[in-house]
Amino acid sequence: MKKTDRRDPKGRIFDAAVKLFARKGYAAVGVRQIARKADVNIAMISYYYDGKVGLLKEIIDQFHLRYLEVLLSGVDGDKSPEDMGRSVVKNMVKFIRQNTELAIAAFHALPLDIPEIAKFKAEKVTTLLRSAKGILQQFGINDDDPVQIVAIGPSLIAIILTHFRFRPVQEKVFNVKFDDEFYEKFADTVATLFLHGINGVAARSNKNIRRKA
Amino acid sequence: MKKTDRRDPKGRIFDAAVKLFARKGYAAVGVRQIARKADVNIAMISYYYDGKVGLLKEIIDQFHLRYLEVLLSGVDGDKSPEDMGRSVVKNMVKFIRQNTELAIAAFHALPLDIPEIAKFKAEKVTTLLRSAKGILQQFGINDDDPVQIVAIGPSLIAIILTHFRFRPVQEKVFNVKFDDEFYEKFADTVATLFLHGINGVAARSNKNIRRKA
């Protein structure tokens, strides 16, 4: 969304919901509270979105769109898988750093005990897997094996987002400034962890296939 | 806690809070709701715990105790780091599978915007790092480097818990039964991902040190 949208009632409602869902969790937030924070009449929320559930769906949707953009950002036929992977991880850290609340509201804090939300999220994941099909294959991962996809698929964002979630704790535990220099090293370390990890999974899985053959 | 505790009012309050915090998030749950679910008088919650915050602290405490137990479970001087690591990951998957709601309430859904909780969690992490000191060193990780600890420290549980969090979604996306066979393969894949990952980080970090020397 463009900067100017943010001053529209629709954008203000979206931003207020992201902040409140990320901080308190979906179940603790009421439409009245969102309306107050967005400085709009409560009726606007049903007008622009289909109530609280509709707002959350829009948040999940926006997040998935941008997440997919980041995943595809590294794809470049001229680059090695390693360089592509490092570029994606770097962009993912930047994206989550700049959109921490959106990521928490859409990925971390979404209420999967609401069947409508679990179903919507499943549709988004199915689309994502289809659109990103082939990316993991370049690293030797078998993306028809549900175990490999379940274990590896969400692991990169889980590792990155866990840091941003626990930043208030890590600030108290470690004597470190979370500045650009930190995030450069952090992205490099996460990229190494993730890329060596999936190389290992690919190698072990190919060895098992050869053993069976 | 032993099985018999579960029928005591204290144990019932604990169990009810774990379930409700895990499902709704801390902010959405009131002490009245906990008392109702636990079938106790509301005054019992202040008697046994220091209200809602005290209950959450006890949940975080219990989780950390058992989490540390699992981390130390693999330590065995006769085993190679690889075998130790595989054993820890296997035990961690089993622990989270058997205590999914406890893990979600204590690790995933805790409200870090409450300074008292962020401070308490920081104390627990500091104790954990001290108790588990040396484990990551066996894999060549420099546990005096905050970047490596921030990136690697919580990554194993983040990867495992993300699966259990998104199980309702993954059930809809993948044609797979989450049975013992699945979890054996899952633990093996996560162990490979994690161990190859940290080996990669250790190798890169040693190379950088040698380059500077």
Side-chain angles (χ1 to χ4, degrees):
Chain A
M1 239 174 257
K2 278 164 288 168
K3 196 108 197 174
T4 47
D5 282 338
R6 290 294 178 251
R7 273 166 214 139
D8 296 339
K10 195 180 172 187
R12 289 209 309 272
I13 294 169
F14 185 87
D15 289 352
V18 165
K19 269 187 209 312
L20 288 167
F21 292 166
R23 195 165 326 145
K24 301 281 173 202
Y26 178 83
V29 178
V31 277
R32 195 159 299 137
Q33 202 179 351
I34 299 169
R36 210 182 310 127
K37 192 171 177 74
D39 194 23
V40 300
N41 186 291
I42 196 167
M44 299 286 243
I45 296 180
S46 342
Y47 177 78
Y48 285 118
Y49 302 94
D50 198 12
K52 205 173 87 161
V53 165
L55 244 172
L56 180 59
K57 283 185 180 174
E58 180 66 25
I59 290 170
I60 295 171
D61 213 21
Q62 284 291 324
F63 172 75
H64 269 262
L65 272 173
R66 302 184 59 182
Y67 178 74
L68 180 62
E69 247 177 59
V70 174
L71 282 185
L72 299 176
S73 70
V75 177
D76 177 345
D78 292 341
K79 279 188 188 166
S80 68
E82 157 116 21
D83 285 346
M84 255 176 50
R86 290 202 172 269
S87 158
V88 168
V89 173
K90 206 175 153 181
N91 293 343
M92 191 67 81
V93 170
K94 194 174 157 196
F95 167 57
I96 307 282
R97 188 182 177 193
Q98 286 173 345
N99 299 276
T100 307
E101 285 173 326
L102 178 66
I104 291 175
F107 182 84
H108 184 94
L110 75 175
L112 299 175
D113 61 325
I114 299 178
E116 192 179 343
I117 293 301
K119 192 169 159 271
F120 187 74
K121 175 76 184 171
E123 286 163 22
K124 294 290 141 189
V125 171
T126 304
T127 308
L128 187 73
L129 286 174
R130 206 168 38 228
S131 311
K133 181 116 190 151
I135 295 191
L136 280 174
Q137 269 175 18
Q138 303 201 30
F139 295 91
I141 295 302
N142 175 8
D143 56 15
D144 289 323
D145 176 3
V147 180
Q148 290 188 31
I149 294 301
V150 161
I152 295 170
S155 66
L156 178 61
I157 182 169
I159 293 170
I160 297 171
L161 193 52
T162 295
H163 156 62
F164 286 99
R165 254 290 283 171
F166 282 104
R167 228 174 91 155
V169 171
Q170 292 172 346
E171 277 166 354
K172 292 182 206 298
V173 175
F174 302 105
N175 184 22
V176 64
K177 254 178 86 179
F178 295 112
D179 52 12
D180 290 351
E181 197 196 330
F182 174 87
Y183 283 110
E184 204 179 301
K185 286 188 201 160
F186 176 75
D188 187 73
T189 306
V190 171
T192 305
L193 182 70
F194 184 68
L195 294 172
H196 281 261
I198 60 178
N199 279 341
V201 173
R204 191 175 172 90
S205 141
N206 289 334
K207 208 168 69 184
N208 287 344
I209 288 167
R210 276 202 305 276
R211 200 178 287 153
K212 278 182 199 150
Chain B
M1 239 175 259
K2 279 165 287 167
K3 194 106 196 178
T4 48
D5 281 338
R6 289 295 178 251
R7 271 167 214 139
D8 296 339
K10 195 180 173 187
R12 289 210 309 272
I13 293 168
F14 185 87
D15 289 352
V18 165
K19 270 187 206 311
L20 289 167
F21 292 167
R23 196 166 323 145
K24 302 281 172 202
Y26 178 83
V29 178
V31 278
R32 197 160 297 140
Q33 203 180 349
I34 299 169
R36 212 182 308 127
K37 195 173 177 69
D39 194 23
V40 299
N41 186 292
I42 198 168
M44 298 287 244
I45 296 180
S46 340
Y47 177 78
Y48 285 118
Y49 302 94
D50 198 12
K52 206 174 85 159
V53 165
L55 244 171
L56 179 59
K57 283 185 179 174
E58 180 65 24
I59 290 170
I60 295 171
D61 213 20
Q62 284 291 325
F63 172 75
H64 269 262
L65 271 173
R66 302 185 58 182
Y67 178 74
L68 180 62
E69 247 176 60
V70 173
L71 282 184
L72 297 177
S73 69
V75 178
D76 177 345
D78 293 342
K79 281 187 186 166
S80 68
E82 158 116 21
D83 285 346
M84 255 176 52
R86 290 202 173 268
S87 159
V88 167
V89 173
K90 207 175 152 182
N91 292 344
M92 191 67 83
V93 170
K94 194 175 156 196
F95 166 57
I96 307 283
R97 189 181 176 193
Q98 287 173 344
N99 299 277
T100 307
E101 286 173 326
L102 178 68
I104 291 175
F107 182 84
H108 185 95
L110 74 176
L112 299 175
D113 61 325
I114 301 178
E116 193 179 343
I117 294 299
K119 192 168 159 273
F120 187 74
K121 176 76 185 172
E123 286 163 23
K124 294 290 140 188
V125 170
T126 304
T127 308
L128 187 72
L129 287 173
R130 205 167 41 226
S131 311
K133 181 117 188 147
I135 295 191
L136 280 174
Q137 268 175 18
Q138 303 202 29
F139 296 90
I141 296 302
N142 175 8
D143 55 14
D144 288 322
D145 176 3
V147 180
Q148 290 189 30
I149 293 300
V150 160
I152 295 171
S155 66
L156 178 60
I157 183 169
I159 293 171
I160 297 171
L161 194 52
T162 295
H163 156 62
F164 285 99
R165 254 292 284 170
F166 281 105
R167 228 175 92 154
V169 172
Q170 293 172 345
E171 277 166 354
K172 294 183 205 300
V173 175
F174 302 104
N175 185 21
V176 65
K177 256 178 85 178
F178 295 112
D179 52 13
D180 290 351
E181 198 196 327
F182 175 88
Y183 284 109
E184 204 179 300
K185 285 188 202 159
F186 176 75
D188 187 74
T189 306
V190 172
T192 305
L193 183 70
F194 184 68
L195 293 172
H196 281 260
I198 59 178
N199 279 341
V201 173
R204 191 174 172 91
S205 144
N206 288 334
K207 207 169 69 185
N208 286 344
I209 289 167
R210 277 202 305 274
R211 199 177 289 153
K212 278 183 198 149

